[in-house]
Amino acid sequence: MNPSWNKKLFRLISLAYQSASMILCLGTTPAVQRVMVFGGLERNRVNRAEWTLDGPSGKCVNVAKALRALGANASVVTVLGGPRGAMITDTLQALGITLLANPVASPTRQCVTVVDQSTGEVTELVEESSPVSAAEAEAFLATVDRALPTAEAVVMSGSLAPGMPTDLYRRYAQRARETGVLAIVDAQGPSLLSALEARPGLVKPNRAEAAATLRITLTDELSARLAARELCERGSERVVMTAGADPILATDGRRSWRIAPAPIQPLNPIGSGDAFTAAVCQALLRGDDLGEACRWGAAAGAANALSWMPGELAWGEVQRLYSAIAAERWLD
């Protein structure tokens, strides 16, 4: 098929999904993201930013923003509190993203991305989420219970706020499987291990997260492939393992792919994994195989890195980058 027509077809089908389906983006650790861009940084000195941007973020929010940019209907289920929570609410509503947010007493956190243009280094300063009460956690679960039957897919991503059930992702991966909803989990450690018991449709750790979850050391691509297969054997239907600028590895237990990311000069890579997840989810719902879905994921992740704010990718960049990405099969 002609590549330009393939991209047009992708967009037409995506627009059809926009009116026909909803992808639920579930997470309990949203944030207001401040991106501060410096011409150069000096330690132990006063550094003045050339410009600063603020916007809604956190993994579940980034996934939803990327889905919206790709033409899909996205709904965020999360917890929000204080003025930052109100800012996230207003911004997502302006973007046309459905928000199912339970109010909590603790203020929503703020994270800061520091970009040093002289070196290209990007430093992330993370504020951890405050605990939620038992009543707030129960209210959140009730909201998810109401929303899940209306979704075609549920993407569960990020760490769990203190006070949330540690098996939250397993619980909803199981319910998704029972109701024919595609479940995608982007997590690590106990949350990921627990979710594997419910046989989710896909898990997407990066290499460091996979190593920490399995308590192993990944020294090269071969060891990463073995780790991906182990995650499949532990229960996931599909495994995708990202690694920044290194090749993406994907397997469904029968077939495996290696996808080299597009060569780019990133502005800010924060949120690229979330954009990747969004595009893969949309492509799988459309019926693409895992290798093809990862091509679109890699294009979306790269497009995200070419923007300053997480999740705010341009469709034109996704199209352009997709053409430069190939998925090659690897054999055992």
Side-chain angles (χ1 to χ4, degrees), residues 61 74-78 80 85 88-90 92-93 97-101:
V61 173
S75 179
V76 176
V77 183
T78 191
L80 295 172
I88 291 175
T89 298
D90 293 342
L92 292 187
Q93 288 178 346
I97 296 171
T98 302
L99 179 62
L100 304 174

Side-chain angles (χ1 to χ4, degrees), residues 9-316:
L9 183 62
F10 174 92
R11 189 59 168 172
L12 289 171
I13 297 174
S14 296
L15 290 172
Y17 269 110
Q18 181 175 345
S19 61
S21 65
M22 174 67 74
I23 299 172
L24 203 63
C25 305
L26 186 160
T28 64
T29 52
V32 167
Q33 193 80 26
R34 171 162 289 183
V35 178
M36 304 183 72
V37 181
F38 297 83
L41 283 173
E42 296 182 69
R43 295 187 63 181
N44 299 318
R45 301 278 186 178
V46 174
N47 291 272
R48 301 185 186 277
E50 294 191 354
W51 68 85
T52 299
L53 301 171
D54 290 293
S57 188
K59 293 184 75 64
C60 64
V61 173
N62 294 339
V63 171
K65 290 197 297 179
L67 282 166
R68 191 61 179 162
L70 294 169
N73 271 331
S75 179
V76 176
V77 183
T78 191
V79 291
L80 295 172
R84 293 178 191 142
M87 179 268 203
I88 291 175
T89 298
D90 293 342
T91 306
L92 292 187
Q93 288 178 346
L95 291 173
I97 296 171
T98 302
L99 179 62
L100 304 174
N102 286 86
V104 292
S106 298
T108 296
R109 65 183 178 145
Q110 182 177 50
C111 297
V112 180
T113 303
V114 178
V115 181
D116 182 347
Q117 291 185 295
S118 67
T119 63
E121 293 180 344
V122 178
T123 302
E124 185 73 358
L125 308 177
V126 176
E127 177 185 345
E128 296 290 1
S129 293
S130 299
V132 297
S133 69
E136 290 168 342
E138 284 301 318
F140 173 79
L141 297 177
T143 300
V144 181
D145 288 339
R146 290 191 297 271
L148 189 60
T150 69
E152 190 171 11
V154 55
V155 179
M156 297 169 274
S157 52
S159 57
L160 296 173
M164 287 291 177
T166 56
D167 68 343
L168 190 149
Y169 291 162
R170 181 201 61 76
R171 182 181 309 192
Y172 289 109
Q174 179 64 42
R175 293 189 187 177
R177 170 168 288 281
E178 292 169 353
T179 56
V181 173
L182 172 65
I184 295 177
V185 180
D186 182 359
Q188 63 176 310
S191 294
L192 176 55
L193 288 174
S194 175
L196 290 172
E197 299 173 8
R199 297 181 61 216
L202 183 145
V203 299
K204 193 210 73 65
N206 61 37
R207 290 194 193 182
E209 291 166 341
T213 298
L214 298 173
R215 297 186 178 183
I216 58 176
T217 301
L218 301 182
T219 56
D220 54 22
E221 191 171 305
L222 176 59
S223 60
R225 291 182 182 187
L226 294 174
R229 288 198 183 95
E230 181 175 348
L231 290 170
C232 253
E233 291 166 359
R234 290 196 181 207
S236 185
E237 288 185 13
R238 310 172 188 87
V239 175
V240 176
M241 191 179 300
T242 55
D246 291 329
I248 299 148
L249 304 177
T251 181
D252 62 10
R254 303 177 307 279
R255 298 167 298 170
S256 300
W257 294 265
R258 180 182 186 271
I259 303 95
I264 60 169
Q265 291 295 322
L267 297 177
N268 178 10
I270 304 301
S272 289
D274 305 321
F276 181 99
T277 301
V280 167
C281 177
Q282 187 184 36
L284 290 176
L285 289 177
R286 196 174 56 247
D288 289 353
D289 67 27
L290 185 57
E292 181 67 6
C294 286
R295 288 184 67 197
W296 285 110
N304 177 89
L306 295 176
S307 67
W308 290 112
M309 288 297 296
E312 298 184 6
L313 54 153
W315 166 245

